[in-house]
Structure formats: C-alpha cells, structure tokens
Amino acid sequence: MLVLPQAGRPFAKAPYLVFLILVVATEPWRPANYFEGSFDSVVILKGLLSVIAAATAWWLIRDRPRRTVPAWPAVLMTLYLAITVFGGWANGSLMASVVIVVRVLILILTVYLLLSGYDGYAVMAGLVGALATVALFSVLTNTGRPFNGRLAGGLPPLHPNEIAAISAVVILWLIHRGANARESLADFVALGAAGYALIATESRTSLMMVVPAAAILILMARRVHLRVLLPFLVGLPTLVIVLFSGDFLTEALTRGGSEEDITSLSNRTIAWTAALMPKSNHWLTWLGGGLSMKQIEVPGQWWSHQILDSSWISALVQSGYLGVVLCLALILYGVACIIRTPGELRAFRLAVVTFLSLRGVLESGLFDASTAFLVCFTALALPDARGQLHPTPAPVLARATLPSTLWQPSQPTIPGKSMRSIKSRLLAAGGVVVLALVATGLFNFFAPRQYDSAVSLYATAAGRQVRASDIYQGTMMVSARMNTYVELATSPMVLDAVISELHLEGSAASLSEQVAAVNPPGTAVLTITVTDPVPEQAQVIATTVAAKFQNSVELLESGSGATAQVDFQTLGPAQLPLTPSSPDQLRNLLIAALAGGVLGLGILLWPIARIASSPDKQLRIILLGPLADRLDPQALQLVGGLTAGPAGSAKGSSVPDGPPA
C-alpha cells in the first residue's frame, strides 16, 4: 500500500454553504429576460435567497474573532453604484436600477461578513466549491443539447458561456493547488472534468483568456511535487502540437464556421460603436442610464436594439465616463495591491482578476449582480498577509491510504532553491518563445506583401469531333502537348508581348520570375499565376499573359497556313487578390512557436541530465523519489555515484552516506 498526501488545510463548510445559497440566487433563472422594475415570484424568491445568505453569514461569524478587511473595494464599488442610481433616475428607470444596486450591495455585504470571520483561503475555497456544485448540478439536469450542440445547463438554465467561465475559475483554482503542492487525486479528476466542460461549451472567450491566467499561476508557483512538474513538462509540448496541428484550433475558435467569425466578433462591434457615439445629454455621457440598461439602440441595422456583450462597454452605457474610471481604478489598484501583498493566494488572486478582466471585454456581467462580479470582488477584497491574515501553507503531514494501482509513491516537494531555479528556467523558456513570436511578428509586419492572381485556360482539340475515335485522338493530342504549352506560357515570346503592351520595366527574364504556369496531372487545364506587390497589377498582368498566350498558340500552329489544332478557352477572368499570398503570417508564427518551444524545452530539460549524474543525494531524491534510498550502491553508481561518507573517500565507494554505525 502506498500513501497519498492530503491537502494541508481542511475544507471550511460554512463559507461553502453561504456561497452556495448566494450563487443560486445570483445565477439567472430566466436567461432571455431582463429585470426592468417589475416584481414577480422569481424576483422576490431570488431576493429572499440573497438575504438568507447574508443573514447566514452574519450568524456564522457572530462568535468568531474579527479580521480586518480592506475597505477600498467596497468604497469604489459604492461610488460606482451611486453613479448608476443617478443615471437611472435621469433615464427614467430609477426603481429597476435601485433594485439591482441593492442586490449588488448584498453580494458585497456577504463577502465582507465571511472575510471578517474566516481566512481568505477558506472563503475562496468555499466560493469555488459552490460555483462548481451549481454548474455540475445544472449540467447534470440538462436533458437536451441546445445552443447547436454546446454544453448548457438545465436547472438553473446556465448559458454555455457561464458554464465556461465557472469551469475556467475551477481550473485556475486546481492549478493553484498544484502549484503550491496541495494537489490530491480528486483534484486531478476535477481538473479533467472542468477541462472537458470548458471545451464542450465551445466558449472562445473563456478558452482564450484562461491561458494567460494559467501562465501567471505557473510562473508564480511556490512549491511543486515532481509528479506534477514532470507531466506538465511532457504534456505542454504535446498540447501545443495537438492544438496547432490540423484544424482543431480553427474549428474550436470558429465553432465549425468560417474564419471571418474570429475577426468580426460577430455583431459585438455594432453595439460598441453605438455605445461610443455622442449621447443626447450630459447625464447619459457622464452618469449613464443605470444598471437596468442591458440593451442599446443600434442605428443603421435591420434590428433596432442589441444586447451589450461587453462588461466595459456595459459600464460605459450604465454609468458613463465616471463609472468607467471607477471600474478601471478598482481593477488596476486591486492588481497593484495584489502584487505588493505577500501571501499564499497572491498568484490565484492575480490570475482570476486577470481572467475576469480580459473576459469582460467580450462578456458582460463583471460589474453587475453576477457570479463574475462575486468572484472578482472576493479576490480583490481578500485581506493582506500582514498580521497573520494570510497564514503560510501548513506542512503536509496527514496521509491517506490508497491502493498502489491508483497513485504514485509519496514524493518530497522540490526545495526552495531548486524551485527558484525551475521558475527561472520557465521564465527563460517562456522568454525564448515570446522573443521568437515577437521577432516573427515584426518580420510579418515589415515584410513586403506579394499578391497572387490566377487565370485558368481549358484546352480542347480544334475542329468538330463526331466519331469516338476522333474525340480520343484529339484528347491524346492535347495531353501530349500540355507540357509544351506550360513552357510556352512563360517563354519570352509571350512575356515580351506582355511587357510591350503594358509598358512594364525589365526584361522577359525578370517577368518570368513573377509568372508561373502549371498543368494539374490528368487534366486539360492550364493555370497561369502572376505574383506582384500590387494586387491590381497582378490581375492585369495575369489577364494579359493569358491573352498573349492564346495569340502565341494560334500564331505558332497556323504559321504554315494551317489552322490551329488546339483551342484555349478562358474558364473565368483573373480575380483581384484581396489578401497577400506572402508572407504566410500564420505559418511563420507557428514555425516560430514550434522553434521557440523546442529551444525552451531544451532549456527546461537540460538540467535534468545534470541532476541525474550529480553526486548530491538531495538532487537524486528529487529525481528518483523514495526509490533513491532503496537502490543498492551499484545501482546508484549507474545514476551518478555516491558521495563518500568519511572525508577523503573516493567517488563511487560502497561506503554509504551518513555517520558510521
């Protein structure tokens, strides 16, 4: 039997219970409807649940020692909410705005109550656990597959994007646990389930924004088990190869559609443009229209209103320029405080705030009564590590027995010096990849563009073929001559005529470098492609080359007075190229990422060889784990030899380390 280290801190059930009630009350029960001031059973029930959550939090902490919680997040959010109330009053939607403001204030109050009675780790663990529970129950209660096959919820009816956001937060929390040597077998199972949910929702925003947030956790890792580090070093290159080989990444980003969906951002930019247009009065410009504004008028479209799909644009519409400034101050000042604050949760707080802020560019709800706001505000309001408000990680002592087939032998965590060395190599490897991508990006930007314009000609035997034998002979004659016509298309006879007609500079030899003619095997089609830095010029040259080629064929084959034996018909005019054919920016970036990844992987793995041959016993233990102490001297000599116990003992001696018996 082997042993499995457990997490060093027990799970706090009280914050989990409070957040479970609060998340259920916060998640939308009717996604297609927006609150406009009218009260019904759903609105009243959600309000009662929010009040119950706050009352439960107060009851749970009433006898616990109080902790100091920073006030600046609540102050900035209160100012923001006050602005939206004035905006709603000026816009004629005061009641609806006040109700939403009260809901947000209840979220803030509940978070402060929990943080004043429990440490930050227990509060954040309870919040992540509550989010995961609600999302899992919602997915399991979904009997259908709406949203074109995307993973969605049943009870509550969570949108795929909401499930993706919760899955991303859970993934970040599990990575944080692994980066602090707190992982367990259940964490690996949960990580796989959350990763599957994130991919199954096909949420492009959460999938892209979770990458930089996860990178923050990896680069700020404090202590890592070898069983976590080695699979990461092996799995990262494999994941990159899977993502960038084939059409997996393109299919994931386009959801099976066209690549234009990535750059057009669907119809979001239409609402953004409308939000940035001058307002009808100064109230809307500086104070917005209140939190109840979820849609905006979009002039010039066949539809009149459009939903706001960006938290930052929503803040501009709901609170004006003053509100946007407060939201920016909340995030930027919060990030600065997190960076300056030591503590176990610093990396996770920075990662989750980064993820939600970037996601807020394309998703709404970051500054509203939503789970995104609940997570972000909790991460910002966590107290600092000063005054034992963030306890240091407890040593891993408790062990649970598991069958040997389910887990590896227990391994020591990597010591601080080696951990810093690993982080330095990770930074160096990441720097190599970033440098390669930046250099390739600069090359793509400054490299001269080339445009291709092609025209296709179809060859048939001249004259009228009635009998089957005539048709066969004509086909064989055309096939036998196609190689000759390929050479003729780029010959000086054709190109000199093109230069003369278009008044081009240079000779036929220089123009031939821009013209290519090919005959696909087994066809009677001749394709002429012209490459030029100017797309219009490429189109004109391709059209002229095709015309002069036809004239040259007729002239050569009818020079002795006979008629031409082959006719060439243009299948279509040369098209104006809209995108450059070179440089191939995506291919260059992929090559740079692959080359930088290989070099970075070499930087990461090179010290492993030195560790394997090192006489230092501690390094051998890191590499081999508990097996290092069980190997006999001859086996250890294969790894790198033993350090002699007494002074002056030769390397490779059979005398074991340590004092004599």
Side-chain angles (χ1 to χ4, degrees):
M1 301 295 288
L2 299 177
V3 291
L4 167 66
Q6 295 179 336
R9 186 175 298 174
F11 181 73
K13 300 180 180 63
Y16 169 76
L17 175 62
V18 174
F19 278 125
L20 186 61
I21 302 173
L22 199 60
V23 169
V24 171
T26 305
E27 291 290 1
W29 294 5
R30 297 174 298 189
N33 298 330
Y34 297 99
F35 180 72
E36 297 179 352
S38 60
F39 291 90
D40 55 17
S41 58
V42 173
V43 175
I44 295 175
L45 183 57
K46 294 181 70 173
L48 288 177
L49 287 177
S50 299
V51 173
I52 291 174
T56 304
W58 173 81
W59 185 79
L60 290 172
I61 69 165
R62 69 190 190 284
D63 296 328
R64 297 180 64 88
R66 291 295 184 266
R67 298 168 178 266
T68 303
V69 185
W72 63 265
V75 172
L76 292 177
M77 277 305 303
T78 303
L79 292 175
Y80 171 77
L81 296 175
I83 290 175
T84 61
V85 170
F86 281 104
W89 170 73
N91 195 42
S93 57
L94 177 61
M95 180 56 66
S97 297
V98 168
V99 171
I100 300 177
V101 165
V102 170
R103 290 183 58 192
V104 177
L105 289 176
I106 292 176
L107 297 181
I108 295 175
L109 174 62
T110 307
V111 170
Y112 267 79
L113 287 174
L114 291 176
L115 289 177
S116 64
Y118 296 90
D119 68 271
Y121 190 93
V123 172
M124 189 57 70
L127 175 55
V128 175
L131 289 171
T133 302
V134 173
L136 179 62
F137 186 81
S138 178
V139 170
L140 294 179
T141 54
N142 181 22
T143 57
R145 297 281 295 179
F147 301 99
N148 297 324
R150 300 175 62 191
L151 181 65
L155 185 68
L158 297 183
H159 190 273
N161 292 342
E162 183 67 19
I163 296 178
I166 294 176
S167 301
V169 172
V170 173
I171 290 173
L172 294 178
W173 177 255
L174 296 174
I175 295 176
H176 160 73
R177 286 176 58 83
N180 288 271
R182 291 185 178 276
E183 79 286 345
S184 64
L185 181 60
D187 291 336
F188 283 91
V189 175
L191 182 61
Y196 169 78
L198 179 59
I199 297 176
T201 57
E202 299 181 8
S203 175
R204 297 168 292 191
T205 302
S206 297
L207 185 61
M208 290 186 296
M209 302 311 174
V210 77
V211 174
I216 292 175
L217 290 172
I218 294 172
L219 294 177
M220 297 180 67
R222 301 180 64 180
R223 55 177 188 172
V224 183
H225 281 128
L226 191 62
R227 61 169 173 256
V228 175
L229 180 63
L230 290 183
F232 169 76
L233 294 178
V234 175
L236 183 61
T238 305
L239 180 63
V240 172
I241 293 174
V242 171
L243 289 179
F244 289 99
S245 61
D247 298 329
F248 177 82
L249 188 60
T250 302
E251 291 292 332
L253 294 178
T254 61
R255 296 175 189 160
S258 63
E259 296 183 3
E260 296 177 357
D261 295 336
I262 302 176
T263 56
S264 63
L265 298 177
S266 300
N267 293 324
R268 285 184 172 93
T269 54
I270 298 176
W272 298 356
T273 303
L276 295 173
M277 293 176 60
K279 306 300 186 296
S280 58
N281 55 67
H282 293 296
W283 283 97
L284 289 176
T285 301
W286 294 100
L287 301 179
L291 286 180
S292 62
M293 288 192 64
K294 308 297 183 182
Q295 301 180 3
I296 189 173
E297 295 184 4
V298 285
Q301 306 296 330
W302 60 269
W303 62 93
S304 59
H305 290 76
Q306 185 169 319
I307 298 174
L308 295 169
D309 287 329
S310 170
S311 297
W312 297 98
I313 297 298
S314 298
L316 177 62
V317 173
Q318 296 169 352
S319 60
Y321 289 113
L322 293 180
V324 172
V325 170
L326 288 174
C327 292
L328 284 173
L330 177 68
I331 298 299
L332 296 179
Y333 184 71
V335 169
C337 291
I338 292 173
I339 294 175
R340 295 197 309 266
T341 300
E344 179 185 0
L345 289 176
R346 177 173 62 174
F348 176 75
R349 294 171 63 192
L350 183 60
V352 76
V353 171
T354 301
F355 166 72
L356 293 174
S357 301
L358 295 177
R359 175 182 175 271
V361 177
L362 299 175
E363 300 287 348
S364 57
L366 182 57
F367 307 106
D368 205 338
S370 65
T371 53
F373 168 76
L374 182 62
V375 175
C376 185
F377 186 81
T378 305
L380 293 173
L382 285 177
D384 342 11
R386 303 180 184 89
Q388 296 182 353
L389 294 177
H390 263 288
T392 56
V396 181
L397 298 176
R399 297 182 181 275
T401 303
L402 281 179
S404 59
T405 57
L406 297 181
W407 200 245
Q408 311 174 28
S410 60
Q411 302 178 23
T413 59
I414 298 176
K417 183 178 180 181
S418 299
M419 190 67 241
R420 289 191 296 270
S421 176
I422 293 173
K423 291 170 64 175
S424 300
R425 293 196 297 274
L426 284 173
L427 288 173
V432 170
V433 176
V434 171
L435 182 61
L437 292 176
V438 170
T440 306
L442 293 175
F443 171 78
N444 288 337
F445 182 79
F446 290 105
R449 270 45 175 174
Q450 297 290 336
Y451 296 85
D452 289 349
S453 181
V455 59
S456 297
L457 304 172
Y458 182 72
T460 58
R464 183 180 181 185
Q465 291 86 24
V466 179
R467 296 178 300 178
S469 59
D470 295 337
I471 297 176
Y472 175 76
Q473 291 178 0
T475 303
M476 295 301 296
M477 178 194 64
V478 171
S479 300
R481 293 189 177 189
M482 287 306 297
N483 290 335
T484 304
Y485 294 136
V486 170
E487 297 294 332
L488 178 61
T490 57
S491 66
M493 180 179 183
V494 175
L495 300 184
D496 283 336
V498 173
I499 293 174
S500 176
E501 180 171 334
L502 299 179
H503 305 287
L504 301 177
E505 298 180 357
S507 61
S510 61
L511 182 59
S512 64
E513 298 178 358
Q514 300 178 240
V515 181
V518 295
N519 168 232
T523 68
V525 176
L526 179 67
T527 302
I528 300 174
T529 305
V530 176
T531 303
D532 195 88
V534 181
E536 294 82 2
Q537 184 81 347
Q539 181 187 27
V540 171
I541 294 177
T543 302
T544 307
V545 169
K548 296 304 179 183
F549 169 77
Q550 290 173 304
N551 295 339
S552 299
V553 171
E554 185 177 355
L555 179 62
L556 289 174
E557 297 191 353
S558 62
S560 59
T563 58
Q565 298 182 13
V566 178
D567 290 336
F568 281 91
Q569 301 294 330
T570 304
L571 297 181
Q575 299 297 321
L576 178 65
L578 301 178
T579 57
S581 59
S582 66
D584 190 338
Q585 300 185 21
L586 179 59
R587 184 196 63 185
N588 293 343
L589 288 175
L590 291 179
I591 293 176
L594 182 60
V598 171
L599 292 176
L601 187 62
I603 294 175
L604 290 174
L605 298 182
W606 172 252
I608 298 296
R610 300 182 60 187
I611 291 176
S613 60
S614 171
D616 186 359
K617 181 179 179 181
Q618 182 65 26
L619 294 180
R620 289 202 308 276
I621 291 178
I622 296 172
L623 182 64
L624 300 176
L627 298 178
D629 293 333
R630 303 176 186 175
L631 297 179
D632 55 28
Q634 289 77 14
L636 285 175
Q637 287 179 4
L638 296 178
V639 178
L642 286 171
T643 304
S649 298
K651 179 180 178 180
S653 173
S654 59
V655 179
D657 294 338

